[in-house]
Amino acid sequence: MDEVISGLAANPWALVVLAGIVFADAFLVVVPGEVAVTALGTVAVTQGLPPLWAVILIGGLAAFAGDVCCYAVGRLLHPRTWRVMRHARLQRALDWGASRLRTHAATAVFTARFIPFGRLAVNLSAGAASVPAGRYLPIAAVAAVAWAAFQAMVGAAIGSVVPGGTVVAVLVSIAAALVVGWTVDFVIGRLRPA
């Protein structure tokens, strides 16, 4: 199995697939963008291909491209008027995003980058609230690269210490990425009433 993973990771299309998954994650929160970056970060350390810097760069660029597209959708199509967005929870998420962007844009963008629904809400809200692109997009770019670096480094750290080969390291890194995500969701859920 390690040879199969090594062969897939050495294929130049591995980074293209990574970019596609991360980009799709910007719109469809059920797409496992975090898991893909973490797993490829693990493979980068255990197999040497693709290089870790390329995983971070491609993951960050794809995440930023998705954020830009969500921002443009919010700017052009006014998401508050969509039937699917009329749900109270989604309206609260958009309100939260818009209020945070007015007062603490960098904090909102960096925090939301690690929360699937939060990321979507902040990007749509930024566009819908007409936050200037020159102010918003540089923050989103740095946040996207920081997110990709964090996810890839989690995978790389696990891949370098877990014995048992690439398959075991990838499985452990995916589990770690899921635990980190669930922990962030849990903490935010606990802090929300406050």
Side-chain angles (χ1 to χ4, degrees):
M1 192 63 165
D2 281 355
E3 290 97 23
V4 171
I5 291 174
S6 179
L8 291 172
N11 188 321
W13 286 100
L15 292 173
V16 173
V17 170
L18 174 69
I21 291 170
V22 171
F23 181 79
D25 184 30
F27 300 95
L28 306 168
V29 294
V30 296
V31 174
E34 292 89 350
V35 170
V37 175
T38 303
L40 213 50
T42 303
V43 173
V45 167
T46 60
Q47 299 294 322
L49 286 173
L52 186 59
W53 65 265
V55 173
I56 294 169
L57 179 65
I58 298 299
L61 287 173
F64 177 61
D67 291 351
V68 169
C69 288
C70 286
Y71 172 86
V73 165
R75 188 91 179 221
L76 300 172
L77 301 178
H78 310 289
R80 287 191 179 277
T81 62
W82 302 346
R83 184 176 184 173
V84 69
M85 297 300 282
R86 290 186 187 147
H87 188 275
R89 181 176 179 186
L90 296 174
Q91 289 293 320
R92 283 193 306 271
L94 288 173
D95 290 341
W96 175 85
S99 71
R100 288 293 176 191
L101 287 166
R102 282 191 291 279
T103 58
H104 302 91
T107 303
V109 173
F110 272 85
T111 303
R113 170 92 317 260
F114 291 87
I115 306 164
F117 284 110
R119 177 172 59 235
L120 180 61
V122 165
N123 289 320
L124 288 173
S125 294
S130 297
V131 174
R135 178 176 172 229
Y136 181 75
L137 295 180
I139 296 169
V142 173
V145 173
W147 168 85
F150 173 78
Q151 296 298 338
M153 296 306 275
V154 165
I158 291 170
S160 62
V161 298
V162 171
T166 304
V167 174
V168 173
V170 166
L171 293 175
V172 171
S173 68
I174 289 170
L178 292 173
V179 167
V180 167
W182 290 329
T183 302
V184 169
D185 286 343
F186 176 78
V187 169
I188 288 171
R190 290 289 186 183
L191 294 175
R192 188 175 297 147

